[in-house]
Amino acid sequence: MIFEEDFTKKYDDFITVRFLLASKMRPSLLLLLADSKRDLNDFREELDKPSASILHGLKELERISLIKKDFKNYSLSTKGILCSASLEKLFQDLYIFQINRDFWQNHSIDSIPADSFRKSYLLRDSVFVESDEHNLSKAFNKYLDLIGGCGDMKIILPIFLEEHLEIILENLENGDNLLLITNEDVFSSLKNSKYYEDLVDFSKKGQVSIRKADQDLKVFLTVCDDFMSLSLFYKDGLYDNSCFILNEHKDGIEWANILLDKCLENSIKML
Amino acid sequence: MEYGGKMYYFSIVGDELKFLNNSEIRLKVLVDLLNGPLKIRDIDRRSLLSYSSISSNIHKLCDEGYVEKIHNSFQLTNLGLIYITVLLDFHDMISAISDFSDFWLDHDISSLSVDDLNKLSSLEGSELIRCSSMDIYRTHKEFKRLFKNSKHLKVIFPYLHPEYPKLIRRLILKGIKVELIVSKDILDGFIKDIGNDVVKKGISEGNFSIKYLNEDIKIALAISNEFVSVGLFKLDGTYDQNRLLLSDKEKAIIWGLNLFRSYDEHALSLILD
């Protein structure tokens, strides 16, 4: 991961953060109140907790003006609305990492800027496409299916594979466009391959742009109109072709475009 | 639990967050390790925490997969890096709310979208300008001062103050690029006070545009090359002239530009005869 600031001096106080997160009751109450005002009975039914615990949590939130009480009903203050929205973002940010901890723990995240992790709520609807013992090429085949006829393509490509290029060229034949960001090694392989001449021709027609990143690429990212996919390398430097993250929603595609744009900023035009 | 609902995501990550936040020491150790691998005695030296507390908590963090031991030093795992990065963003959002509590409390925030709220950490480190009994026009004066030094300006005006059209007029005549969005109710008055001739001149020369919205605007926003300022309405419907949130940080200016853009997309252009 790429960091851009010194954190130690800035973060020496976690009082409010811990107030909100060291208990499961307080965030639950704030999240429920974000939907609508509620009374104690509503909370009891939804949380299945004793009244005393709920009332204690409500009093704590009321004490710092996050909620208001009107007769029997509780509702969020403006400040409470903002805190509740912040909590919701936090939980969505971490969701993609929590549902597949091993994936994130075992792969290199060096090419993903810290800012992308701060926006990972955009990835909340992603799925992990994984090969298994019954089908070792499940992830690979699924990727080929997705990219076939996917329309315009923006790809960060740190690996060279003929199967990918065959499909990319078919798409180009159909009039789609390609923005390819790659590294020195892959670009050399491309240049020496039978596909390069075709890519040059498409480039002359304005359909292809190839750029070289000035950093070691450790992500294989594809962004099309209808999906994004992300594969990573193992920490030992080998590419993992057995699993990728797939997102077919607007938010996931936005996340991928942000990462791609960051990489684009630090690249030079090759073709 | 409903998949994708608010409580669903909390149910998945709540226990991990509770574990990390149960101890201030754990959070401080994770923050310290963001700067690179450290030995326990290095962390001990840098902080006021006791060696035994650091040792006990760092081992708990290892057990839960947030920290790993390499030779005699400790470093963040990928998950440790990700969790503390996201938590610090949350910290910034909460700071932006808590530090300016009276700016948000009892104010109308309906003008902010979910996306604006999700990026609220961008406002961390802003300054809240408050009027006082010794300086009842402080926000107004600050607003005017900022305008004067701007090279280009994007402003959403939800109300008409007699001095602002004059100020805008001077900026247009100086050739400074100004983009305005106002509510329809005040559009005619604004143009009249700037001066029809100056408005036409600015539009034709490309350094001025004025758009309007038919609905009520519940935010005052000004963005220049150097600052962003935000003003809100109170819940009783009146504009709060006593508070102005101000930042000169790049991330806050970007936040303001995104907010302006979202209004700009819906605003209608003025067609002059």
Side-chain angles (χ1 to χ4, degrees), chain A residues 32 34 58 61 78 156-157 182 203-204 214 218 236 242 261 265:
Chain A
L32 287 172
L58 288 167
L61 295 172
T78 323
I156 299 175
L157 187 69
T182 189
S203 167
K204 284 175 185 163
D214 65 0
K218 292 289 182 197
D236 63 10
S242 69
D261 287 345
E265 279 172 21

Side-chain angles (χ1 to χ4, degrees), chain B residues 68-99:
Chain B
E68 60 193 353
K69 192 174 183 182
I70 305 289
H71 307 301
N72 283 326
S73 294
F74 292 89
Q75 66 179 23
L76 294 174
T77 61
N78 283 353
L79 277 174
L81 271 170
I82 292 166
Y83 261 78
I84 194 62
T85 302
V86 172
L87 265 170
L88 294 186
D89 187 54
F90 178 71
H91 177 285
D92 286 351
M93 291 174 84
I94 295 303
S95 294
I97 299 163
S98 304
D99 293 352

Side-chain angles (χ1 to χ4, degrees), chain B residues 105-137:
Chain B
L105 204 59
D106 299 327
H107 285 72
D108 186 339
I109 53 163
S110 58
S111 52
L112 303 177
S113 69
V114 173
D115 194 46
D116 301 324
L117 296 180
N118 283 339
K119 291 171 184 155
L120 214 55
S121 58
S122 309
L123 296 179
E124 185 271 334
S126 301
E127 186 187 357
L128 182 58
I129 310 289
R130 286 185 187 90
C131 294
S132 66
S133 52
M134 302 307 290
D135 192 354
I136 59 168
Y137 294 117

Side-chain angles (χ1 to χ4, degrees), chain B residues 43-81:
Chain B
I43 301 172
D44 184 34
R45 260 188 230 126
R46 293 159 67 122
S47 66
L48 297 172
L49 310 170
S50 76
Y51 187 96
S52 60
S53 309
I54 298 168
S55 173
S56 151
N57 279 291
I58 214 165
H59 284 101
K60 282 179 187 158
L61 288 166
C62 284
D63 293 343
E64 296 299 321
Y66 294 103
V67 170
E68 60 193 353
K69 192 174 183 182
I70 305 289
H71 307 301
N72 283 326
S73 294
F74 292 89
Q75 66 179 23
L76 294 174
T77 61
N78 283 353
L79 277 174
L81 271 170

Side-chain angles (χ1 to χ4, degrees), chain A residues 1 3 6-8 10-14 16-18 20-22 24 27-28 31-32 34-35 47 65 77-79 81-83 85-95 97-99 101 104-105 107 109 114 117-118 121 124-125 235, chain B residues 3 6-10 12-13 15-18 21-24 27-28 31-32 34-35 46 64-66 77-79 81-83 85-94 97-98 101 104-107 109 115 117-120 124 235:
Chain A
M1 200 191 308
F3 284 97
D6 178 6
F7 296 92
T8 317
K10 190 175 166 189
Y11 297 102
D12 61 350
D13 170 11
F14 286 94
T16 315
V17 169
R18 291 188 60 227
L20 291 168
L21 296 170
K24 289 185 82 176
S28 300
L31 290 179
L32 287 172
D35 290 332
L47 296 173
S65 306
S77 67
T78 323
K79 199 175 148 190
I81 293 170
L82 294 170
C83 276
S86 304
L87 284 167
E88 202 180 339
K89 175 184 180 289
L90 171 71
F91 302 147
Q92 293 185 6
D93 270 337
L94 292 172
Y95 173 75
F97 308 109
Q98 189 59 31
I99 54 165
R101 287 172 69 97
W104 296 102
Q105 209 65 308
H107 291 79
I109 53 169
F117 290 107
R118 297 183 194 116
Y121 65 96
R124 65 193 176 280
D125 295 315
K235 283 182 171 173
Chain B
Y3 171 77
K6 286 184 171 68
M7 298 300 278
Y8 173 74
Y9 297 107
F10 178 47
I12 301 294
V13 301
D15 286 333
E16 293 301 318
L17 286 168
K18 187 165 184 258
N21 285 278
N22 263 340
S23 150
E24 175 122 2
L27 294 171
K28 288 192 167 168
V31 172
D32 268 348
L34 271 173
N35 295 315
R46 293 159 67 122
E64 296 299 321
Y66 294 103
T77 61
N78 283 353
L79 277 174
L81 271 170
I82 292 166
Y83 261 78
T85 302
V86 172
L87 265 170
L88 294 186
D89 187 54
F90 178 71
H91 177 285
D92 286 351
M93 291 174 84
I94 295 303
I97 299 163
S98 304
S101 200
W104 303 112
L105 204 59
D106 299 327
H107 285 72
I109 53 163
D115 194 46
L117 296 180
N118 283 339
K119 291 171 184 155
L120 214 55
E124 185 271 334
L235 288 178

Side-chain angles (χ1 to χ4, degrees), chain B residues 1 10 30 43 75 93 96 108 120-121 130 140 144 151 174 180 205 208 216 219 227 231 233 241 249 253 263:
Chain B
M1 194 156 306
F10 178 47
L30 292 176
I43 301 172
Q75 66 179 23
M93 291 174 84
D108 186 339
L120 214 55
S121 58
R130 286 185 187 90
H140 179 58
K144 282 195 336 186
K151 292 195 178 79
K174 273 167 73 180
L180 291 188
E205 290 177 0
F208 178 62
D216 276 354
I219 191 164
F227 74 90
F233 281 72
Q241 296 192 53
K249 293 189 185 323
I253 293 173
Y263 274 83

Side-chain angles (χ1 to χ4, degrees), chain B residues 139-152:
Chain B
T139 54
H140 179 58
K141 282 191 275 187
E142 189 68 19
F143 208 52
K144 282 195 336 186
R145 185 184 67 78
L146 291 163
F147 271 36
K148 281 180 185 164
N149 299 332
S150 300
K151 292 195 178 79
H152 62 250

